[in-house]
Amino acid sequence: MSAAQPAAAQDWERLRLLAIEAMERAYAPYSRFKVGAAALVDDGRLVSGCNVENAGYGVTLCAECGLVSELVRTGGGRLTAFACVDARGEPCAPCGRCRQLLSEHAAPGMELAMPGGIMTIDEVLPERFTHEALTAVQQPAPAHQEARP
């Protein structure tokens, strides 16, 4: 998998505007905290999502969930640049759960527009849990280890 190329200034502006458009469609009647997210895919597509709240708070969907769903629905790929905005159109940091969700679909070196500036996925989620961790424990046990009943 090749590393993400740094996003150009015009890409960041396109992402910000698309994230604002998504945020305007958010369904947030409980918290009133509307969020929109947008990302650039390694094939040049743009994907977006907004938060969708629910009276059962545990089933509320973050904007990043909608974005990743659109990514998969439209053909997959790897995210290279990501922006998230609040109701003011200002950069909004993804929560920890969403950082993990984004990392599953991130190109190496994916950039995120954070409130403090541009950061990579490795900077916002160091030592993240990956499929390699799952693969490591799914391997057959070495011959010197006995199976437990």
Side-chain angles (χ1 to χ4, degrees), residues 63-79:
E64 295 85 346
C65 294
L67 181 147
V68 168
S69 181
E70 183 175 333
L71 171 70
V72 172
R73 182 190 66 77
T74 60
R78 293 287 167 195
L79 303 172

Side-chain angles (χ1 to χ4, degrees), residues 44-61:
R45 280 178 297 134
L46 294 178
V47 293
S48 64
C50 62
N51 59 321
V52 179
E53 292 183 347
N54 190 283
Y57 291 124
V59 294
T60 290
L61 300 174

Side-chain angles (χ1 to χ4, degrees), residues 3-117:
Q5 295 298 312
Q10 67 270 21
D11 290 331
W12 289 116
E13 182 61 13
R14 285 176 36 204
L15 290 177
R16 188 182 74 78
L17 292 173
L18 183 57
I20 290 170
E21 180 183 313
M23 175 274 301
E24 291 170 346
R25 298 199 177 270
Y27 178 73
Y30 306 106
S31 73
R32 293 179 178 69
F33 191 81
K34 292 185 171 193
V35 177
L40 179 63
V41 183
D42 57 1
D43 63 6
R45 280 178 297 134
L46 294 178
V47 293
S48 64
C50 62
N51 59 321
V52 179
E53 292 183 347
N54 190 283
Y57 291 124
V59 294
T60 290
L61 300 174
C62 295
E64 295 85 346
C65 294
L67 181 147
V68 168
S69 181
E70 183 175 333
L71 171 70
V72 172
R73 182 190 66 77
T74 60
R78 293 287 167 195
L79 303 172
T80 60
F82 171 85
C84 188
V85 298
D86 61 21
R88 301 167 301 164
E90 295 295 319
C92 181
C95 69
R97 176 181 174 269
C98 289
R99 292 175 194 206
Q100 180 65 41
L101 176 68
L102 291 169
S103 77
E104 181 84 8
H105 301 278
M110 179 183 98
E111 295 179 316
L112 295 88
M114 300 293 282

